[in-house]
Amino acid sequence: MRYGFLGPETTFTHQALLQALAELPEELDTTAPQLVPFTSVATAAADLLAGDIDALMAPIENSVEGGVSGTLDVLAATDSITIVAEQTVQISFVLAAQERTALDQLTSVSSHPHAQAQVQGWLREQVSGAHIAAASSTAAAARDLAAAEAEEARGRAAVCSPLAAEHFGLAVLAEGIEDYEGAITRFVLVTREGRIPARTGADKTTLVLQLPHNRSGALLEALEILGSNGVNMSRIESRPVGDFLGRYSFSLDIEGHIEDRRVAAALRALHRLCPVVHYLGSYPRVDGQRIEVREDFADDAYDDAHAWIQRLSGMITPADPSTEI
């Protein structure tokens, strides 16, 4: 198996992948895995669809910043991939440089935009005079700084993980610089369209919906479908479709597995309502929290209702062809 991740080594995505390898579904072979770094989720997804890698770990949401737009857009663009697992990583950042430097001497600080957003308050207060530059990942910011000539690196720093600072031999100028202690980023492991992990009773399902255009109340109708089937939604994000202004798709996580009758019933109804429904997979929740289901939404309730309709259908008198108009 070849696993792609947002690189280079020591990114939080890399850490999430390492954490997940021992917990992957049985159908995925984890013998001698090859870990392949990529500069973007979009590039990695293209290689996944082309068959150059077998799976991809990507960040999908953060407890501070919300959804990761790059990943959400990739997931919305195709229904040929399947989420098979999720992983979470607690996020902590350090400010690192090639050598010990006073904070007021820094002229530039680089990092991934999502990391910048999680430390922006600290940066404004402590290094207000420094230019904030974007990097493809937190580890890339650390790696590029470590590789720079001493003169070029003077006055520069990177926001990265403690592991990245240690790996690339950087001096830590400040640690624990995140604005919100205990921030968590959630990652998803994606494969090409294939087998769905078995139901565990503690599952999550991810969808992308496009609603009927210019139909008043369409989003409410979609949400009512979930509610009327006892399906709880744990995340919803809107992203522009891109064809013209005002058109959005909705990425959402719901509690449950497609094998749950209530989830399947909701998906059937959404398929009738929405012109596009991308089913991106049902997979075990990383926290293992089992879902409490009301009695009238249990599988037995749906099965009993279906059997009842079948019995009633069997009582219908066949139409007399001679009476047809």
Side-chain angles (χ1 to χ4, degrees), residues 222-253:
L223 298 180
E224 286 179 336
I225 286 171
L226 298 178
S228 64
N229 284 282
V231 177
N232 187 45
M233 182 176 60
S234 59
R235 180 187 63 85
I236 184 168
E237 307 270 352
S238 64
R239 295 295 301 158
V241 173
D243 49 3
F244 57 86
L245 191 65
R247 280 253 293 153
Y248 288 85
S249 65
F250 292 86
S251 173
L252 58 153
D253 294 331

mmCIF file of all heavy atoms in Angstrom, residues 222-253:
data_model
loop_
_atom_site.group_PDB
_atom_site.id
_atom_site.type_symbol
_atom_site.label_atom_id
_atom_site.label_comp_id
_atom_site.label_asym_id
_atom_site.label_seq_id
_atom_site.Cartn_x
_atom_site.Cartn_y
_atom_site.Cartn_z
ATOM 1 N N ALA A 222 -33.915 19.282 2.987
ATOM 2 C CA ALA A 222 -32.853 18.291 3.176
ATOM 3 C C ALA A 222 -32.633 18.005 4.655
ATOM 4 O O ALA A 222 -32.482 16.845 5.068
ATOM 5 C CB ALA A 222 -31.562 18.780 2.518
ATOM 6 N N LEU A 223 -32.620 19.060 5.453
ATOM 7 C CA LEU A 223 -32.413 18.875 6.891
ATOM 8 C C LEU A 223 -33.600 18.159 7.530
ATOM 9 O O LEU A 223 -33.432 17.348 8.453
ATOM 10 C CB LEU A 223 -32.190 20.234 7.561
ATOM 11 C CG LEU A 223 -30.958 21.017 7.085
ATOM 12 C CD1 LEU A 223 -30.840 22.339 7.820
ATOM 13 C CD2 LEU A 223 -29.682 20.199 7.260
ATOM 14 N N GLU A 224 -34.805 18.441 7.052
ATOM 15 C CA GLU A 224 -35.984 17.767 7.580
ATOM 16 C C GLU A 224 -35.966 16.280 7.255
ATOM 17 O O GLU A 224 -36.457 15.457 8.040
ATOM 18 C CB GLU A 224 -37.252 18.427 7.044
ATOM 19 C CG GLU A 224 -37.546 19.783 7.673
ATOM 20 C CD GLU A 224 -38.789 20.441 7.104
ATOM 21 O OE1 GLU A 224 -39.162 20.100 5.954
ATOM 22 O OE2 GLU A 224 -39.377 21.291 7.791
ATOM 23 N N ILE A 225 -35.400 15.927 6.110
ATOM 24 C CA ILE A 225 -35.266 14.508 5.762
ATOM 25 C C ILE A 225 -34.402 13.800 6.796
ATOM 26 O O ILE A 225 -34.731 12.697 7.258
ATOM 27 C CB ILE A 225 -34.669 14.356 4.347
ATOM 28 C CG1 ILE A 225 -35.722 14.702 3.295
ATOM 29 C CG2 ILE A 225 -34.121 12.947 4.123
ATOM 30 C CD1 ILE A 225 -35.177 14.787 1.884
ATOM 31 N N LEU A 226 -33.300 14.438 7.179
ATOM 32 C CA LEU A 226 -32.435 13.839 8.197
ATOM 33 C C LEU A 226 -33.174 13.741 9.531
ATOM 34 O O LEU A 226 -33.179 12.691 10.179
ATOM 35 C CB LEU A 226 -31.158 14.673 8.356
ATOM 36 C CG LEU A 226 -30.251 14.790 7.129
ATOM 37 C CD1 LEU A 226 -29.049 15.692 7.446
ATOM 38 C CD2 LEU A 226 -29.765 13.421 6.677
ATOM 39 N N GLY A 227 -33.821 14.834 9.932
ATOM 40 C CA GLY A 227 -34.506 14.851 11.211
ATOM 41 C C GLY A 227 -35.644 13.853 11.289
ATOM 42 O O GLY A 227 -35.852 13.199 12.312
ATOM 43 N N SER A 228 -36.403 13.709 10.196
ATOM 44 C CA SER A 228 -37.559 12.807 10.210
ATOM 45 C C SER A 228 -37.140 11.346 10.245
ATOM 46 O O SER A 228 -37.974 10.471 10.523
ATOM 47 C CB SER A 228 -38.445 13.070 8.990
ATOM 48 O OG SER A 228 -37.751 12.758 7.790
ATOM 49 N N ASN A 229 -35.866 11.071 9.975
ATOM 50 C CA ASN A 229 -35.349 9.708 10.061
ATOM 51 C C ASN A 229 -34.432 9.522 11.272
ATOM 52 O O ASN A 229 -33.735 8.510 11.371
ATOM 53 C CB ASN A 229 -34.607 9.340 8.782
ATOM 54 C CG ASN A 229 -35.537 9.036 7.620
ATOM 55 O OD1 ASN A 229 -36.113 7.958 7.551
ATOM 56 N ND2 ASN A 229 -35.705 10.006 6.733
ATOM 57 N N GLY A 230 -34.429 10.485 12.174
ATOM 58 C CA GLY A 230 -33.636 10.356 13.387
ATOM 59 C C GLY A 230 -32.140 10.368 13.145
ATOM 60 O O GLY A 230 -31.388 9.753 13.896
ATOM 61 N N VAL A 231 -31.703 11.067 12.082
ATOM 62 C CA VAL A 231 -30.275 11.114 11.734
ATOM 63 C C VAL A 231 -29.701 12.446 12.196
ATOM 64 O O VAL A 231 -30.142 13.512 11.731
ATOM 65 C CB VAL A 231 -30.069 10.945 10.209
ATOM 66 C CG1 VAL A 231 -28.594 11.069 9.861
ATOM 67 C CG2 VAL A 231 -30.609 9.594 9.753
ATOM 68 N N ASN A 232 -28.729 12.390 13.097
ATOM 69 C CA ASN A 232 -28.113 13.597 13.621
ATOM 70 C C ASN A 232 -26.969 14.043 12.711
ATOM 71 O O ASN A 232 -26.166 13.235 12.255
ATOM 72 C CB ASN A 232 -27.576 13.356 15.034
ATOM 73 C CG ASN A 232 -27.089 14.638 15.681
ATOM 74 O OD1 ASN A 232 -27.762 15.665 15.621
ATOM 75 N ND2 ASN A 232 -25.921 14.593 16.302
ATOM 76 N N MET A 233 -26.878 15.331 12.471
ATOM 77 C CA MET A 233 -25.806 15.900 11.646
ATOM 78 C C MET A 233 -24.757 16.516 12.569
ATOM 79 O O MET A 233 -25.083 17.305 13.439
ATOM 80 C CB MET A 233 -26.380 16.956 10.699
ATOM 81 C CG MET A 233 -25.373 17.584 9.756
ATOM 82 S SD MET A 233 -26.174 18.732 8.615
ATOM 83 C CE MET A 233 -26.884 19.922 9.771
ATOM 84 N N SER A 234 -23.488 16.158 12.369
ATOM 85 C CA SER A 234 -22.425 16.672 13.231
ATOM 86 C C SER A 234 -21.575 17.745 12.568
ATOM 87 O O SER A 234 -20.791 18.409 13.242
ATOM 88 C CB SER A 234 -21.523 15.519 13.692
ATOM 89 O OG SER A 234 -20.943 14.858 12.587
ATOM 90 N N ARG A 235 -21.711 17.924 11.246
ATOM 91 C CA ARG A 235 -20.949 18.969 10.554
ATOM 92 C C ARG A 235 -21.647 19.318 9.260
ATOM 93 O O ARG A 235 -22.180 18.448 8.577
ATOM 94 C CB ARG A 235 -19.523 18.484 10.222
ATOM 95 C CG ARG A 235 -18.652 19.519 9.482
ATOM 96 C CD ARG A 235 -17.315 18.909 9.035
ATOM 97 N NE ARG A 235 -17.507 17.828 8.075
ATOM 98 C CZ ARG A 235 -17.655 18.006 6.758
ATOM 99 N NH1 ARG A 235 -17.630 19.220 6.238
ATOM 100 N NH2 ARG A 235 -17.822 16.964 5.963
ATOM 101 N N ILE A 236 -21.662 20.613 8.910
ATOM 102 C CA ILE A 236 -22.126 21.048 7.597
ATOM 103 C C ILE A 236 -21.291 22.241 7.163
ATOM 104 O O ILE A 236 -21.002 23.140 7.959
ATOM 105 C CB ILE A 236 -23.628 21.395 7.590
ATOM 106 C CG1 ILE A 236 -24.087 21.749 6.165
ATOM 107 C CG2 ILE A 236 -23.959 22.514 8.569
ATOM 108 C CD1 ILE A 236 -25.597 21.818 6.008
ATOM 109 N N GLU A 237 -20.826 22.220 5.923
ATOM 110 C CA GLU A 237 -20.010 23.299 5.354
ATOM 111 C C GLU A 237 -20.546 23.602 3.958
ATOM 112 O O GLU A 237 -20.849 22.678 3.188
ATOM 113 C CB GLU A 237 -18.542 22.866 5.216
ATOM 114 C CG GLU A 237 -17.905 22.326 6.470
ATOM 115 C CD GLU A 237 -17.250 23.405 7.302
ATOM 116 O OE1 GLU A 237 -17.180 24.549 6.812
ATOM 117 O OE2 GLU A 237 -16.808 23.087 8.415
ATOM 118 N N SER A 238 -20.643 24.869 3.612
ATOM 119 C CA SER A 238 -21.020 25.242 2.250
ATOM 120 C C SER A 238 -19.776 25.639 1.470
ATOM 121 O O SER A 238 -18.874 26.288 2.009
ATOM 122 C CB SER A 238 -22.026 26.396 2.262
ATOM 123 O OG SER A 238 -21.448 27.565 2.823
ATOM 124 N N ARG A 239 -19.710 25.205 0.198
ATOM 125 C CA ARG A 239 -18.594 25.541 -0.679
ATOM 126 C C ARG A 239 -19.150 25.904 -2.047
ATOM 127 O O ARG A 239 -20.101 25.285 -2.531
ATOM 128 C CB ARG A 239 -17.633 24.352 -0.843
ATOM 129 C CG ARG A 239 -16.917 23.934 0.421
ATOM 130 C CD ARG A 239 -15.978 25.031 0.911
ATOM 131 N NE ARG A 239 -14.991 25.359 -0.098
ATOM 132 C CZ ARG A 239 -14.334 26.515 -0.153
ATOM 133 N NH1 ARG A 239 -14.589 27.465 0.736
ATOM 134 N NH2 ARG A 239 -13.437 26.736 -1.088
ATOM 135 N N PRO A 240 -18.599 26.931 -2.704
ATOM 136 C CA PRO A 240 -19.096 27.302 -4.027
ATOM 137 C C PRO A 240 -18.881 26.190 -5.049
ATOM 138 O O PRO A 240 -17.835 25.539 -5.058
ATOM 139 C CB PRO A 240 -18.261 28.551 -4.382
ATOM 140 C CG PRO A 240 -17.050 28.465 -3.507
ATOM 141 C CD PRO A 240 -17.477 27.784 -2.252
ATOM 142 N N VAL A 241 -19.898 25.954 -5.876
ATOM 143 C CA VAL A 241 -19.773 24.938 -6.925
ATOM 144 C C VAL A 241 -18.772 25.390 -7.971
ATOM 145 O O VAL A 241 -18.017 24.595 -8.520
ATOM 146 C CB VAL A 241 -21.149 24.647 -7.552
ATOM 147 C CG1 VAL A 241 -21.023 23.723 -8.756
ATOM 148 C CG2 VAL A 241 -22.080 24.042 -6.508
ATOM 149 N N GLY A 242 -18.767 26.712 -8.278
ATOM 150 C CA GLY A 242 -17.763 27.254 -9.183
ATOM 151 C C GLY A 242 -18.253 27.596 -10.561
ATOM 152 O O GLY A 242 -17.545 28.271 -11.320
ATOM 153 N N ASP A 243 -19.480 27.154 -10.925
ATOM 154 C CA ASP A 243 -19.939 27.457 -12.282
ATOM 155 C C ASP A 243 -20.466 28.878 -12.407
ATOM 156 O O ASP A 243 -20.249 29.538 -13.410
ATOM 157 C CB ASP A 243 -20.986 26.439 -12.747
ATOM 158 C CG ASP A 243 -22.096 26.214 -11.714
ATOM 159 O OD1 ASP A 243 -22.086 26.888 -10.672
ATOM 160 O OD2 ASP A 243 -22.967 25.361 -11.977
ATOM 161 N N PHE A 244 -21.150 29.384 -11.359
ATOM 162 C CA PHE A 244 -21.520 30.797 -11.344
ATOM 163 C C PHE A 244 -21.832 31.211 -9.916
ATOM 164 O O PHE A 244 -22.015 30.374 -9.038
ATOM 165 C CB PHE A 244 -22.683 31.100 -12.297
ATOM 166 C CG PHE A 244 -23.933 30.315 -12.058
ATOM 167 C CD1 PHE A 244 -24.885 30.729 -11.144
ATOM 168 C CD2 PHE A 244 -24.170 29.145 -12.772
ATOM 169 C CE1 PHE A 244 -26.040 30.016 -10.937
ATOM 170 C CE2 PHE A 244 -25.331 28.418 -12.569
ATOM 171 C CZ PHE A 244 -26.275 28.857 -11.650
ATOM 172 N N LEU A 245 -21.904 32.508 -9.699
ATOM 173 C CA LEU A 245 -22.079 33.066 -8.363
ATOM 174 C C LEU A 245 -23.408 32.626 -7.754
ATOM 175 O O LEU A 245 -24.438 32.631 -8.421
ATOM 176 C CB LEU A 245 -22.008 34.591 -8.430
ATOM 177 C CG LEU A 245 -21.919 35.348 -7.107
ATOM 178 C CD1 LEU A 245 -20.619 35.018 -6.395
ATOM 179 C CD2 LEU A 245 -22.015 36.863 -7.351
ATOM 180 N N GLY A 246 -23.359 32.243 -6.490
ATOM 181 C CA GLY A 246 -24.577 31.895 -5.780
ATOM 182 C C GLY A 246 -24.909 30.418 -5.773
ATOM 183 O O GLY A 246 -25.921 30.017 -5.189
ATOM 184 N N ARG A 247 -24.075 29.584 -6.403
ATOM 185 C CA ARG A 247 -24.308 28.132 -6.419
ATOM 186 C C ARG A 247 -23.361 27.477 -5.433
ATOM 187 O O ARG A 247 -22.138 27.634 -5.518
ATOM 188 C CB ARG A 247 -24.080 27.569 -7.817
ATOM 189 C CG ARG A 247 -25.244 27.786 -8.739
ATOM 190 C CD ARG A 247 -26.005 26.502 -9.004
ATOM 191 N NE ARG A 247 -25.174 25.575 -9.765
ATOM 192 C CZ ARG A 247 -25.304 24.265 -9.710
ATOM 193 N NH1 ARG A 247 -26.199 23.729 -8.904
ATOM 194 N NH2 ARG A 247 -24.543 23.481 -10.442
ATOM 195 N N TYR A 248 -23.910 26.714 -4.500
ATOM 196 C CA TYR A 248 -23.113 26.090 -3.439
ATOM 197 C C TYR A 248 -23.444 24.607 -3.317
ATOM 198 O O TYR A 248 -24.582 24.188 -3.556
ATOM 199 C CB TYR A 248 -23.377 26.775 -2.087
ATOM 200 C CG TYR A 248 -22.787 28.155 -1.995
ATOM 201 C CD1 TYR A 248 -23.486 29.258 -2.485
ATOM 202 C CD2 TYR A 248 -21.538 28.361 -1.442
ATOM 203 C CE1 TYR A 248 -22.949 30.533 -2.418
ATOM 204 C CE2 TYR A 248 -20.991 29.630 -1.365
ATOM 205 C CZ TYR A 248 -21.694 30.711 -1.860
ATOM 206 O OH TYR A 248 -21.154 31.960 -1.796
ATOM 207 N N SER A 249 -22.440 23.859 -2.941
ATOM 208 C CA SER A 249 -22.663 22.483 -2.490
ATOM 209 C C SER A 249 -22.515 22.470 -0.975
ATOM 210 O O SER A 249 -21.949 23.392 -0.384
ATOM 211 C CB SER A 249 -21.668 21.515 -3.140
ATOM 212 O OG SER A 249 -20.338 21.794 -2.712
ATOM 213 N N PHE A 250 -23.013 21.423 -0.350
ATOM 214 C CA PHE A 250 -22.949 21.300 1.103
ATOM 215 C C PHE A 250 -22.278 19.977 1.459
ATOM 216 O O PHE A 250 -22.704 18.912 1.012
ATOM 217 C CB PHE A 250 -24.352 21.363 1.717
ATOM 218 C CG PHE A 250 -24.996 22.715 1.575
ATOM 219 C CD1 PHE A 250 -25.706 23.052 0.430
ATOM 220 C CD2 PHE A 250 -24.863 23.662 2.581
ATOM 221 C CE1 PHE A 250 -26.286 24.302 0.292
ATOM 222 C CE2 PHE A 250 -25.439 24.921 2.451
ATOM 223 C CZ PHE A 250 -26.139 25.243 1.304
ATOM 224 N N SER A 251 -21.207 20.086 2.217
ATOM 225 C CA SER A 251 -20.507 18.913 2.732
ATOM 226 C C SER A 251 -20.984 18.676 4.155
ATOM 227 O O SER A 251 -20.985 19.592 4.975
ATOM 228 C CB SER A 251 -18.989 19.142 2.700
ATOM 229 O OG SER A 251 -18.299 18.096 3.344
ATOM 230 N N LEU A 252 -21.393 17.455 4.462
ATOM 231 C CA LEU A 252 -21.892 17.196 5.803
ATOM 232 C C LEU A 252 -21.525 15.804 6.295
ATOM 233 O O LEU A 252 -21.340 14.878 5.516
ATOM 234 C CB LEU A 252 -23.410 17.399 5.883
ATOM 235 C CG LEU A 252 -24.329 16.598 4.975
ATOM 236 C CD1 LEU A 252 -25.692 16.444 5.653
ATOM 237 C CD2 LEU A 252 -24.528 17.313 3.631
ATOM 238 N N ASP A 253 -21.380 15.714 7.607
ATOM 239 C CA ASP A 253 -21.194 14.450 8.307
ATOM 240 C C ASP A 253 -22.472 14.156 9.069
ATOM 241 O O ASP A 253 -23.029 15.043 9.726
ATOM 242 C CB ASP A 253 -20.031 14.524 9.302
ATOM 243 C CG ASP A 253 -18.690 14.717 8.633
ATOM 244 O OD1 ASP A 253 -18.523 14.262 7.485
ATOM 245 O OD2 ASP A 253 -17.803 15.335 9.260
#
